[in-house]
Amino acid sequence: MAQDELIVTKTDLDGKIRYANRTFYKFADYEPVECIGVQHNIIRHPEMPRTVFKLLWDTIKSGEEIFAYVNNRSKNGDYYWVFAHITPSRSADGSIIGYHSNRRAPNRNVLHNHIQPLYTQLLDIERNSTSPKDALAAGETHIHDLLKSKGMSFNEFMFALGV
Ligand SMILES: Cc1cc2nc3c(=O)[nH]c(=O)nc-3n(C[C@H](O)[C@H](O)[C@H](O)COP(=O)(O)O)c2cc1C
């Protein structure tokens, strides 16, 4: 991604895409008709740890925002890393009516030196677990211990790595 590019999508409460900007389609290599009303995992990359998506959903469902590095897969099989901000969208009465995400070019040094090693560790932990449930629990414990050792929340940790 170029530094001035922004990928935007909006989803309903279930994570089905309701809006995507042109930059999304450019990178994802899909047409709108293939994406609107479809689960956002259409661009899920198989090498993304499930733990990260669990953290993402737990955070936004609780009404908080999250910043996270995500590796996505295009229709043509390419991959593209982004630094994503995902946040709930609220109605006038404050209830959550959907979700919104903006992504920009990741910091390559942070990606190579911190995020990719962390995600590789998480994938190893998940793959060495005996069940999908254990995999998520073990992944969450790993993140929890890491953040505890830093004395930071997940978002604080992301920004402490540098942007
Ligand atoms: C607003 C919003 C944006 C999302 N953006 C992405 C994304 O860019 N890439 C991705 O793989 N998942 C994204 N997700 C998470 C997906 O909904 C999904 O949880 C994830 O792809 C993992 O797929 P799975 O839940 O089927 O395992 C987003 C979710 C929301 C609510």
Side-chain angles (χ1 to χ4, degrees), residues 110-123 142:
V110 173
L111 184 61
H112 291 138
N113 298 330
H114 299 281
I115 301 299
Q116 287 179 313
L118 172 62
Y119 285 11
T120 300
Q121 278 177 334
L122 287 172
L123 284 170
H142 185 76

Side-chain angles (χ1 to χ4, degrees), residues 7 9-17 24 39-45 48-50 53-54 56-57 60 70-73 80 82 84-87 98-103:
I7 296 176
T9 54
K10 297 179 194 180
T11 72
D12 63 13
L13 290 170
D14 295 329
K16 290 201 197 79
I17 298 170
F24 172 86
Q39 284 289 339
H40 217 308
N41 66 10
I42 186 173
I43 56 162
R44 188 201 199 294
H45 195 287
M48 269 297 290
R50 291 172 59 222
F53 293 120
K54 167 87 164 53
L56 182 161
W57 274 104
I60 61 176
V70 181
N71 186 12
N72 286 319
R73 187 156 72 173
Y80 56 102
V82 297
H85 175 222
I86 305 161
T87 184
Y99 301 103
H100 183 133
S101 178
N102 289 335
R103 305 109 176 142

Side-chain angles (χ1 to χ4, degrees), residues 55-129:
L55 181 66
L56 182 161
W57 274 104
D58 286 350
T59 306
I60 61 176
K61 278 187 177 172
S62 77
E64 302 295 321
E65 61 182 350
I66 187 167
F67 294 85
Y69 284 79
V70 181
N71 186 12
N72 286 319
R73 187 156 72 173
S74 315
K75 186 179 178 181
N76 67 18
D78 284 351
Y79 68 90
Y80 56 102
W81 281 92
V82 297
F83 184 57
H85 175 222
I86 305 161
T87 184
S89 304
R90 294 177 187 275
S91 64
D93 71 4
S95 52
I96 298 175
I97 52 170
Y99 301 103
H100 183 133
S101 178
N102 289 335
R103 305 109 176 142
R104 55 188 171 78
N107 176 317
R108 287 183 181 274
N109 289 332
V110 173
L111 184 61
H112 291 138
N113 298 330
H114 299 281
I115 301 299
Q116 287 179 313
L118 172 62
Y119 285 11
T120 300
Q121 278 177 334
L122 287 172
L123 284 170
D124 284 347
I125 290 168
E126 290 176 6
R127 284 169 183 160
N128 290 327
S129 298

Side-chain angles (χ1 to χ4, degrees), residues 141-154:
T141 302
H142 185 76
I143 298 250
H144 177 265
D145 292 348
L146 175 68
L147 297 176
K148 201 171 164 198
S149 74
K150 309 260 176 211
M152 291 178 194
S153 68
F154 187 79

